[in-house]
């Protein structure tokens, strides 16, 4: 079934390009052999730089399953997930990530994630977007309250 799910991700990515729906990326999330989410990149049609196929699939699957924990699910992505999507997949607790094209193939057609990989390894004061840590002590208030809250939903 792995190849069928991957082919589905590739096919919807191809359709997305043909219909100019946001980019050449597709993702399918599967749980127990059942498709939970199937979607594409929609960055340009919804004007949302985070609307990558994997993020859209995570949102769709969480809505479908009524949970923020996608343990027990696998994702099939037409391309290697970018750093944002990879992070989101870890947060969602996806069991396994399958991908077809890699980041280098994406880079060749103008989707370059290398800047982000490089930026993440730099000290804050050397990054291309300035980062400044302010009000550090005051910023602890929400964390202190979270620790004391007994009826919180942990994730």
């Amino acid at each position: 079934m792995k190849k069928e799910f991957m082919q589905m991700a590739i096919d919807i990515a191809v359709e997305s390009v043909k219909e100019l729906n946001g980019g050449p990326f597709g993702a399918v999330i599967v749980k127990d052999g059942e498709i939970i989410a199937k979607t594409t990149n929609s960055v340009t049609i919804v004007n949302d730089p985070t609307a990558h196929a994997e993020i859209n699939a995570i949102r769709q699957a969480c809505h479908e399953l009524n949970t923020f924990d996608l343990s027990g699910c696998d994702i099939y992505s037409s391309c290697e997930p970018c750093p944002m999507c990879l992070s989101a997949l870890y947060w969602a607790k996806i069991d396994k990530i399958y991908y077809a094209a890699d980041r280098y193939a994406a880079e060749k057609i103008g989707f370059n994630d290398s800047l982000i990989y490089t930026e993440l390894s730099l000290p804050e004061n050397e990054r291309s977007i300035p980062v400044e840590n302010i009000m550090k002590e005051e910023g602890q208030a929400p964390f202190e309250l979270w620790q004391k809250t007994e009826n919180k939903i942990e994730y």
Side-chain angles (χ1 to χ4, degrees):
M1 290 297 294
K2 291 178 193 174
K3 288 186 178 182
E4 289 88 353
F5 294 133
M6 183 58 74
Q7 189 62 57
M8 188 177 299
I10 293 166
D11 289 346
I12 62 174
V14 168
E15 282 304 309
S16 180
V17 172
K18 288 178 181 177
E19 296 173 10
L20 300 176
N21 277 344
F25 305 98
V28 176
I29 293 181
V30 175
K31 183 172 186 170
D32 300 325
E34 298 291 321
I35 297 167
I36 306 302
K38 179 174 80 169
T39 189
T40 62
N41 176 301
S42 60
V43 169
T44 59
I45 60 173
V46 298
N47 294 318
D48 178 352
T50 69
H52 291 197
E54 297 88 346
I55 300 295
N56 289 342
I58 289 168
R59 290 174 180 156
Q60 196 176 91
C62 288
H63 178 77
E64 182 69 26
L65 297 173
N66 195 33
T67 183
F68 52 81
D69 184 342
L70 296 180
S71 296
C73 295
D74 297 332
I75 190 166
Y76 295 81
S77 181
S78 64
C79 184
E80 181 178 359
C82 75
M84 174 187 68
C85 293
L86 187 60
S87 297
L89 292 165
Y90 275 94
W91 282 115
K93 299 179 180 153
I94 287 282
D95 281 7
K96 189 161 185 179
I97 300 165
Y98 297 93
Y99 68 90
D102 63 23
R103 69 177 102 163
Y104 306 106
E107 184 175 344
K108 287 179 184 176
I109 62 163
F111 294 94
N112 189 349
D113 298 332
S114 64
L115 169 69
I116 298 168
Y117 286 109
T118 301
E119 288 280 312
L120 290 173
S121 67
L122 293 174
E124 289 178 353
N125 64 340
E126 293 179 24
R127 295 181 185 165
S128 63
I129 297 176
V131 177
E132 183 177 350
N133 184 209
I134 63 171
M135 297 183 68
K136 190 172 185 172
E137 293 302 315
E138 295 84 347
Q140 299 306 306
F143 296 149
E144 291 166 4
L145 181 60
W146 176 261
Q147 279 188 304
K148 294 176 189 173
T149 302
E150 293 181 19
N151 60 342
K152 64 187 171 228
I153 300 172
E154 299 204 27
Y155 58 95

